[in-house]
Amino acid sequence: MDATVTRSRCIVFFLVPNFSMIAFATAIEPLRLANRQLGQQFYTWRLITENGTPGLASNGVKVEVDGSLEDEKRRMHSDERPDMFFVCSGVFVEKYDSKSLNSWLRQLNRSGVTVGAMCTGAWILARAGLLDGKRCAIHWENLPGFAEAFPEAEIYADLFEVDKNIYTCAGGTASLDMMLNLIDADHGETVVNRVCEQALTDRVRGPHDRQRLPLRARLGIHNSKVLTIIELMEANIAEPLSLVELARYAGLSRRQIERLFRRTMGRSPARYYLELRLDRARHLLLQSNLPVVEVAVACGFVSASHFSKCYREFYGRSPLMERREREAVA
């Protein structure tokens, strides 16, 4: 930590259509609060969209911006050159593909400007080729599709990741934690603690804190054996474990597992496992452009026809219908 930093930081936020308001707001607010504690405008920022029109958040709120991507390119060779450039996106990020933005991100990276992403923004950095061999974070809901689309990236279900001059965070309130990490590096723990008090947050989460609630809280169950089995199921979607293998790992008999699941989860372990795989498949259908047959394989189905049959029985529509509905909404 360097508490003697005197040079201010200029940060640009690029707002992608349908960006996450919570990820954006919790990134800017700690910077404002830090300036207030420091008694100076150490952090400055400006907002841009590709064409300079107001940014539209996924909650329907429009945000006025300071310019377009072309305006930003002209600033690069002036005293307004940014120190950091963050892409803020949200839902339907896989549908947003801007060659102009991708090229600009690569140029910024080559020029030594720190590049970052919030919420699903890692998808855009990866498409620009900036995450090959890099540690990165993305919202847990988008992680399966991202991992399939960009196998060269080292994706983690962390709150945020900093790999040299690449910052990524999972969105939501993780933007707050990532910015507190930045403020800590610039000004130290005392300033961070004051910011936390102003923001009414009782602790600074580390980059490797979990994104999701623990299984125990998420599912509302307390049986440790059932939790162990579900964790094994969630970790083995592409190549499902047999009930015999699950029983061996849990130190139970197959019959005991059947009874436990029916009593605790209201269905058989096989049914619960199938529902987990179908849920993962739905995320891939909605958040990637993988062919249906590849989605089936990624979720442990032996054939596309078997996958489609199970999917239709559970969701009431085929995988192709699911994807068409997504495209209609987007």
Side-chain angles (χ1 to χ4, degrees), residues 153-188:
E154 296 181 18
I155 185 68
Y156 293 89
D158 294 337
L159 290 182
F160 65 92
E161 286 286 349
V162 180
D163 192 332
K164 297 180 180 176
N165 66 334
I166 301 287
Y167 281 62
T168 53
C169 83
T173 57
S175 297
L176 171 67
D177 301 289
M178 183 172 69
M179 289 308 184
L180 289 174
N181 176 271
L182 175 65
I183 295 166
D184 188 12
D186 288 341
H187 302 290

Side-chain angles (χ1 to χ4, degrees), residues 34-99:
N35 286 344
R36 185 180 178 194
Q37 297 304 315
L38 293 166
Q40 60 173 302
Q41 293 297 107
F42 181 87
Y43 297 102
T44 62
W45 53 84
R46 57 181 174 264
L47 317 180
I48 67 168
T49 56
E50 185 158 8
N51 56 14
T53 57
L56 179 64
S58 57
N59 62 6
V61 173
K62 289 185 178 180
V63 176
E64 293 293 333
V65 297
D66 302 299
S68 67
L69 190 57
E70 288 302 315
D71 294 330
E72 194 57 36
K73 291 177 181 178
R74 287 190 285 271
R75 293 184 179 113
M76 188 65 177
H77 304 291
S78 71
D79 56 3
E80 293 184 290
R81 170 190 167 102
D83 301 290
M84 309 182 84
F85 187 100
F86 281 94
V87 175
C88 186
S89 57
V91 295
F92 309 128
V93 65
E94 69 282 351
K95 305 292 288 183
Y96 183 82
D97 188 6
S98 166
K99 290 182 173 58

Side-chain angles (χ1 to χ4, degrees), residues 8-281:
S8 64
R9 284 188 186 272
C10 175
I11 303 174
V12 173
F13 293 93
F14 182 94
L15 306 182
V16 174
N18 293 301
F19 71 92
S20 166
M21 181 61 79
I22 189 172
F24 169 63
T26 54
I28 280 193
E29 280 301 288
L31 302 178
R32 179 188 70 82
L33 292 171
N35 286 344
R36 185 180 178 194
Q37 297 304 315
L38 293 166
Q40 60 173 302
Q41 293 297 107
F42 181 87
Y43 297 102
T44 62
W45 53 84
R46 57 181 174 264
L47 317 180
I48 67 168
T49 56
E50 185 158 8
N51 56 14
T53 57
L56 179 64
S58 57
N59 62 6
V61 173
K62 289 185 178 180
V63 176
E64 293 293 333
V65 297
D66 302 299
S68 67
L69 190 57
E70 288 302 315
D71 294 330
E72 194 57 36
K73 291 177 181 178
R74 287 190 285 271
R75 293 184 179 113
M76 188 65 177
H77 304 291
S78 71
D79 56 3
E80 293 184 290
R81 170 190 167 102
D83 301 290
M84 309 182 84
F85 187 100
F86 281 94
V87 175
C88 186
S89 57
V91 295
F92 309 128
V93 65
E94 69 282 351
K95 305 292 288 183
Y96 183 82
D97 188 6
S98 166
K99 290 182 173 58
S100 181
L101 176 60
N102 293 346
S103 174
W104 182 239
L105 289 170
R106 289 191 290 269
Q107 184 175 333
L108 288 171
N109 185 245
R110 289 193 299 269
S111 301
V113 174
T114 295
V115 175
M118 296 176 291
C119 195
T120 60
W123 193 286
I124 293 173
L125 299 195
R127 186 177 278 143
L130 298 187
L131 296 184
D132 292 359
K134 298 285 189 180
R135 292 180 63 93
C136 59
I138 197 168
H139 193 280
W140 64 266
E141 195 174 37
N142 298 83
L143 197 151
F146 181 92
E148 292 288 340
F150 304 106
E152 302 84 3
E154 296 181 18
I155 185 68
Y156 293 89
D158 294 337
L159 290 182
F160 65 92
E161 286 286 349
V162 180
D163 192 332
K164 297 180 180 176
N165 66 334
I166 301 287
Y167 281 62
T168 53
C169 83
T173 57
S175 297
L176 171 67
D177 301 289
M178 183 172 69
M179 289 308 184
L180 289 174
N181 176 271
L182 175 65
I183 295 166
D184 188 12
D186 288 341
H187 302 290
E189 187 177 4
T190 299
V191 174
V192 168
N193 289 341
R194 290 173 180 168
V195 170
C196 287
E197 288 189 325
Q198 289 291 313
L200 304 184
T201 184
D202 61 352
R203 71 185 184 97
V204 181
R205 296 180 295 177
H208 307 306
D209 280 20
R210 65 171 72 236
Q211 290 188 28
R212 305 185 71 182
L213 289 171
L215 267 179
R216 187 181 301 272
R218 189 167 13 124
L219 300 178
I221 61 174
H222 303 283
N223 187 295
S224 61
K225 293 292 187 181
V226 174
L227 291 170
T228 296
I229 294 167
I230 292 175
E231 286 175 352
L232 286 167
M233 289 176 174
E234 290 187 346
N236 293 275
I237 295 292
E239 297 182 8
L241 299 174
S242 69
L243 197 52
V244 172
E245 290 173 309
L246 290 170
R248 185 171 68 249
Y249 283 123
L252 297 170
S253 70
R254 176 171 176 164
R255 183 168 295 180
Q256 285 174 315
I257 290 180
E258 290 277 3
R259 285 200 301 265
L260 268 177
F261 263 76
R262 290 189 184 282
R263 185 173 69 244
T264 308
M265 306 305 297
R267 49 207 179 278
S268 71
R271 180 64 187 182
Y272 188 85
Y273 208 169
L274 174 63
E275 290 175 7
L276 281 179
R277 291 158 55 211
L278 289 171
D279 182 65
R280 174 70 60 84

